Amino acid sequence: MTDLARRISNNLSEIRERIAAAAERSGRKANEITLVAVTKYVGVDEILALVEAGCQDIGESRPQELWHKVDVLSDRPIRWHMIGHLQRNKVRRTVPLAHLIHSGDSERLFEAINQFGQEESTNSRVLLEVNVSGDQSKHGFTPETLKELVPRLDRLTHVEIHGLMGMASLTGGVEQARLDFCRLRDLRDELQPRCPANVALNELSMGMSRDFEVAIEEGATMVRVGSALFE
Ligand SMILES: *Cc1c(COP(=O)(O)O)cnc(C)c1O
């Protein structure tokens, strides 16, 4: 094993232990939480080390980078997650590669994904990104927009909506993050009764390196962890 592989394998074990402990604190099982390893800062060698160590959910935030890595690693059993902003002109090339798109952040994007699905007779799996902290720089729907939008999503016949994705405020510490995650979970609970058949908000994708444990305590089913895996 190379030094790189050993370091990543150790980091992964440590993070899995922290996930399990946080799950236990919130009365859930570790296997109810999916760790998505975010590899936007690193290259193919690091992804290979993750896969060898048993982590097969890999997240990328830039479409071109995703295309490149999928191409190089096409013989590996990886579920790719698109977690960053997706422009509509990149839907056609990106959607077929992704197991799940976390960053469904505009009605026009959802329409483009649906259009692609109709043309190709395929369904795509997408989350609704919510700008839960209200940061100006962030993408995503406001909670108010979602309340109005969700009942109308039944017209997206080729999109399966599986849940919500959010990020905590960049300023403010872990306890501020907890409030943002709490707000996302409450929003999910509020939207649930208004969901049409193609929308089931079972997944809550929230929590990154600095705050994944509080995210799990507040109900995350998927955490997106990058830098902590590569330290
Ligand atoms: C980069 C990124 C992450 C991972 O961030 P870390 O702080 O490195 O864990 C998670 N989610 C999104 C959307 C990201 O862009």
Side-chain angles (χ1 to χ4, degrees), residues 36-55:
V36 178
V38 176
T39 52
K40 66 185 182 199
Y41 312 112
V42 298
V44 166
D45 288 346
E46 284 86 347
I47 300 177
L48 280 173
L50 285 165
V51 175
E52 296 289 326
C55 178

PDB file of all heavy atoms in Angstrom, residues 36-55:
ATOM      1  N   VAL A  36     -20.759  10.461   0.963  1.00  0.00           N
ATOM      2  CA  VAL A  36     -20.312  10.820  -0.379  1.00  0.00           C
ATOM      3  C   VAL A  36     -18.948  11.490  -0.231  1.00  0.00           C
ATOM      4  O   VAL A  36     -18.832  12.541   0.409  1.00  0.00           O
ATOM      5  CB  VAL A  36     -21.312  11.777  -1.071  1.00  0.00           C
ATOM      6  CG1 VAL A  36     -20.804  12.178  -2.448  1.00  0.00           C
ATOM      7  CG2 VAL A  36     -22.688  11.120  -1.183  1.00  0.00           C
ATOM      8  N   ALA A  37     -17.923  10.858  -0.774  1.00  0.00           N
ATOM      9  CA  ALA A  37     -16.568  11.420  -0.693  1.00  0.00           C
ATOM     10  C   ALA A  37     -16.405  12.451  -1.806  1.00  0.00           C
ATOM     11  O   ALA A  37     -16.519  12.128  -2.985  1.00  0.00           O
ATOM     12  CB  ALA A  37     -15.536  10.310  -0.844  1.00  0.00           C
ATOM     13  N   VAL A  38     -16.158  13.691  -1.403  1.00  0.00           N
ATOM     14  CA  VAL A  38     -16.057  14.775  -2.380  1.00  0.00           C
ATOM     15  C   VAL A  38     -14.607  14.907  -2.836  1.00  0.00           C
ATOM     16  O   VAL A  38     -13.708  15.166  -2.028  1.00  0.00           O
ATOM     17  CB  VAL A  38     -16.569  16.093  -1.771  1.00  0.00           C
ATOM     18  CG1 VAL A  38     -16.380  17.245  -2.746  1.00  0.00           C
ATOM     19  CG2 VAL A  38     -18.044  15.956  -1.401  1.00  0.00           C
ATOM     20  N   THR A  39     -14.397  14.712  -4.120  1.00  0.00           N
ATOM     21  CA  THR A  39     -13.027  14.615  -4.644  1.00  0.00           C
ATOM     22  C   THR A  39     -12.653  15.787  -5.541  1.00  0.00           C
ATOM     23  O   THR A  39     -11.725  15.698  -6.330  1.00  0.00           O
ATOM     24  CB  THR A  39     -12.861  13.287  -5.408  1.00  0.00           C
ATOM     25  OG1 THR A  39     -13.924  13.177  -6.372  1.00  0.00           O
ATOM     26  CG2 THR A  39     -12.934  12.099  -4.474  1.00  0.00           C
ATOM     27  N   LYS A  40     -13.350  16.897  -5.391  1.00  0.00           N
ATOM     28  CA  LYS A  40     -13.088  18.041  -6.268  1.00  0.00           C
ATOM     29  C   LYS A  40     -11.686  18.627  -6.099  1.00  0.00           C
ATOM     30  O   LYS A  40     -11.181  19.273  -6.990  1.00  0.00           O
ATOM     31  CB  LYS A  40     -14.141  19.122  -6.056  1.00  0.00           C
ATOM     32  CG  LYS A  40     -14.085  19.761  -4.694  1.00  0.00           C
ATOM     33  CD  LYS A  40     -15.246  20.744  -4.500  1.00  0.00           C
ATOM     34  CE  LYS A  40     -15.138  21.395  -3.142  1.00  0.00           C
ATOM     35  NZ  LYS A  40     -16.397  22.001  -2.701  1.00  0.00           N
ATOM     36  N   TYR A  41     -11.075  18.419  -4.905  1.00  0.00           N
ATOM     37  CA  TYR A  41      -9.736  18.980  -4.677  1.00  0.00           C
ATOM     38  C   TYR A  41      -8.627  18.034  -5.094  1.00  0.00           C
ATOM     39  O   TYR A  41      -7.465  18.374  -5.003  1.00  0.00           O
ATOM     40  CB  TYR A  41      -9.518  19.262  -3.188  1.00  0.00           C
ATOM     41  CG  TYR A  41     -10.619  20.004  -2.480  1.00  0.00           C
ATOM     42  CD1 TYR A  41     -11.393  19.372  -1.513  1.00  0.00           C
ATOM     43  CD2 TYR A  41     -10.867  21.337  -2.772  1.00  0.00           C
ATOM     44  CE1 TYR A  41     -12.396  20.056  -0.845  1.00  0.00           C
ATOM     45  CE2 TYR A  41     -11.871  22.022  -2.102  1.00  0.00           C
ATOM     46  CZ  TYR A  41     -12.625  21.375  -1.152  1.00  0.00           C
ATOM     47  OH  TYR A  41     -13.618  22.049  -0.491  1.00  0.00           O
ATOM     48  N   VAL A  42      -8.978  16.792  -5.439  1.00  0.00           N
ATOM     49  CA  VAL A  42      -7.932  15.780  -5.625  1.00  0.00           C
ATOM     50  C   VAL A  42      -8.071  15.087  -6.986  1.00  0.00           C
ATOM     51  O   VAL A  42      -9.021  15.348  -7.736  1.00  0.00           O
ATOM     52  CB  VAL A  42      -7.973  14.719  -4.489  1.00  0.00           C
ATOM     53  CG1 VAL A  42      -7.717  15.361  -3.140  1.00  0.00           C
ATOM     54  CG2 VAL A  42      -9.293  13.956  -4.496  1.00  0.00           C
ATOM     55  N   GLY A  43      -7.123  14.215  -7.271  1.00  0.00           N
ATOM     56  CA  GLY A  43      -7.081  13.563  -8.579  1.00  0.00           C
ATOM     57  C   GLY A  43      -7.508  12.105  -8.524  1.00  0.00           C
ATOM     58  O   GLY A  43      -8.080  11.623  -7.543  1.00  0.00           O
ATOM     59  N   VAL A  44      -7.177  11.427  -9.598  1.00  0.00           N
ATOM     60  CA  VAL A  44      -7.619  10.053  -9.802  1.00  0.00           C
ATOM     61  C   VAL A  44      -7.001   9.092  -8.772  1.00  0.00           C
ATOM     62  O   VAL A  44      -7.659   8.159  -8.309  1.00  0.00           O
ATOM     63  CB  VAL A  44      -7.289   9.648 -11.255  1.00  0.00           C
ATOM     64  CG1 VAL A  44      -7.404   8.155 -11.444  1.00  0.00           C
ATOM     65  CG2 VAL A  44      -8.207  10.389 -12.221  1.00  0.00           C
ATOM     66  N   ASP A  45      -5.748   9.327  -8.391  1.00  0.00           N
ATOM     67  CA  ASP A  45      -5.102   8.410  -7.436  1.00  0.00           C
ATOM     68  C   ASP A  45      -5.848   8.373  -6.105  1.00  0.00           C
ATOM     69  O   ASP A  45      -6.018   7.309  -5.499  1.00  0.00           O
ATOM     70  CB  ASP A  45      -3.657   8.850  -7.169  1.00  0.00           C
ATOM     71  CG  ASP A  45      -2.767   8.586  -8.376  1.00  0.00           C
ATOM     72  OD1 ASP A  45      -3.207   7.833  -9.281  1.00  0.00           O
ATOM     73  OD2 ASP A  45      -1.661   9.143  -8.411  1.00  0.00           O
ATOM     74  N   GLU A  46      -6.281   9.531  -5.668  1.00  0.00           N
ATOM     75  CA  GLU A  46      -7.023   9.596  -4.406  1.00  0.00           C
ATOM     76  C   GLU A  46      -8.369   8.870  -4.531  1.00  0.00           C
ATOM     77  O   GLU A  46      -8.795   8.183  -3.608  1.00  0.00           O
ATOM     78  CB  GLU A  46      -7.261  11.060  -3.998  1.00  0.00           C
ATOM     79  CG  GLU A  46      -6.027  11.749  -3.422  1.00  0.00           C
ATOM     80  CD  GLU A  46      -5.107  12.357  -4.475  1.00  0.00           C
ATOM     81  OE1 GLU A  46      -5.271  12.055  -5.685  1.00  0.00           O
ATOM     82  OE2 GLU A  46      -4.214  13.130  -4.073  1.00  0.00           O
ATOM     83  N   ILE A  47      -9.011   9.020  -5.687  1.00  0.00           N
ATOM     84  CA  ILE A  47     -10.304   8.329  -5.872  1.00  0.00           C
ATOM     85  C   ILE A  47     -10.085   6.814  -5.869  1.00  0.00           C
ATOM     86  O   ILE A  47     -10.840   6.065  -5.237  1.00  0.00           O
ATOM     87  CB  ILE A  47     -10.996   8.781  -7.176  1.00  0.00           C
ATOM     88  CG1 ILE A  47     -11.256  10.294  -7.133  1.00  0.00           C
ATOM     89  CG2 ILE A  47     -12.317   8.021  -7.378  1.00  0.00           C
ATOM     90  CD1 ILE A  47     -11.878  10.863  -8.409  1.00  0.00           C
ATOM     91  N   LEU A  48      -9.027   6.387  -6.537  1.00  0.00           N
ATOM     92  CA  LEU A  48      -8.731   4.949  -6.545  1.00  0.00           C
ATOM     93  C   LEU A  48      -8.504   4.428  -5.129  1.00  0.00           C
ATOM     94  O   LEU A  48      -8.981   3.352  -4.767  1.00  0.00           O
ATOM     95  CB  LEU A  48      -7.489   4.678  -7.398  1.00  0.00           C
ATOM     96  CG  LEU A  48      -7.749   4.644  -8.902  1.00  0.00           C
ATOM     97  CD1 LEU A  48      -6.430   4.548  -9.660  1.00  0.00           C
ATOM     98  CD2 LEU A  48      -8.660   3.479  -9.270  1.00  0.00           C
ATOM     99  N   ALA A  49      -7.797   5.210  -4.325  1.00  0.00           N
ATOM    100  CA  ALA A  49      -7.548   4.797  -2.935  1.00  0.00           C
ATOM    101  C   ALA A  49      -8.861   4.681  -2.170  1.00  0.00           C
ATOM    102  O   ALA A  49      -9.054   3.741  -1.385  1.00  0.00           O
ATOM    103  CB  ALA A  49      -6.602   5.786  -2.255  1.00  0.00           C
ATOM    104  N   LEU A  50      -9.767   5.615  -2.409  1.00  0.00           N
ATOM    105  CA  LEU A  50     -11.075   5.557  -1.739  1.00  0.00           C
ATOM    106  C   LEU A  50     -11.847   4.306  -2.145  1.00  0.00           C
ATOM    107  O   LEU A  50     -12.432   3.616  -1.302  1.00  0.00           O
ATOM    108  CB  LEU A  50     -11.904   6.795  -2.095  1.00  0.00           C
ATOM    109  CG  LEU A  50     -11.510   8.099  -1.413  1.00  0.00           C
ATOM    110  CD1 LEU A  50     -12.159   9.278  -2.133  1.00  0.00           C
ATOM    111  CD2 LEU A  50     -11.925   8.082   0.058  1.00  0.00           C
ATOM    112  N   VAL A  51     -11.852   4.031  -3.426  1.00  0.00           N
ATOM    113  CA  VAL A  51     -12.605   2.877  -3.928  1.00  0.00           C
ATOM    114  C   VAL A  51     -12.015   1.588  -3.355  1.00  0.00           C
ATOM    115  O   VAL A  51     -12.747   0.705  -2.887  1.00  0.00           O
ATOM    116  CB  VAL A  51     -12.614   2.863  -5.470  1.00  0.00           C
ATOM    117  CG1 VAL A  51     -13.284   1.596  -6.001  1.00  0.00           C
ATOM    118  CG2 VAL A  51     -13.333   4.095  -6.016  1.00  0.00           C
ATOM    119  N   GLU A  52     -10.692   1.512  -3.356  1.00  0.00           N
ATOM    120  CA  GLU A  52     -10.029   0.325  -2.789  1.00  0.00           C
ATOM    121  C   GLU A  52     -10.371   0.154  -1.312  1.00  0.00           C
ATOM    122  O   GLU A  52     -10.481  -0.964  -0.817  1.00  0.00           O
ATOM    123  CB  GLU A  52      -8.502   0.439  -2.926  1.00  0.00           C
ATOM    124  CG  GLU A  52      -7.989   0.473  -4.362  1.00  0.00           C
ATOM    125  CD  GLU A  52      -8.109  -0.866  -5.065  1.00  0.00           C
ATOM    126  OE1 GLU A  52      -7.960  -1.897  -4.370  1.00  0.00           O
ATOM    127  OE2 GLU A  52      -8.374  -0.885  -6.279  1.00  0.00           O
ATOM    128  N   ALA A  53     -10.546   1.289  -0.629  1.00  0.00           N
ATOM    129  CA  ALA A  53     -10.865   1.240   0.804  1.00  0.00           C
ATOM    130  C   ALA A  53     -12.360   1.027   1.049  1.00  0.00           C
ATOM    131  O   ALA A  53     -12.810   1.012   2.187  1.00  0.00           O
ATOM    132  CB  ALA A  53     -10.388   2.521   1.486  1.00  0.00           C
ATOM    133  N   GLY A  54     -13.138   0.905  -0.015  1.00  0.00           N
ATOM    134  CA  GLY A  54     -14.547   0.532   0.143  1.00  0.00           C
ATOM    135  C   GLY A  54     -15.546   1.671   0.025  1.00  0.00           C
ATOM    136  O   GLY A  54     -16.721   1.499   0.337  1.00  0.00           O
ATOM    137  N   CYS A  55     -15.104   2.844  -0.418  1.00  0.00           N
ATOM    138  CA  CYS A  55     -16.031   3.956  -0.587  1.00  0.00           C
ATOM    139  C   CYS A  55     -16.346   4.126  -2.073  1.00  0.00           C
ATOM    140  O   CYS A  55     -15.456   4.421  -2.866  1.00  0.00           O
ATOM    141  CB  CYS A  55     -15.407   5.236  -0.036  1.00  0.00           C
ATOM    142  SG  CYS A  55     -16.464   6.668  -0.242  1.00  0.00           S
TER     143      CYS A  55
END
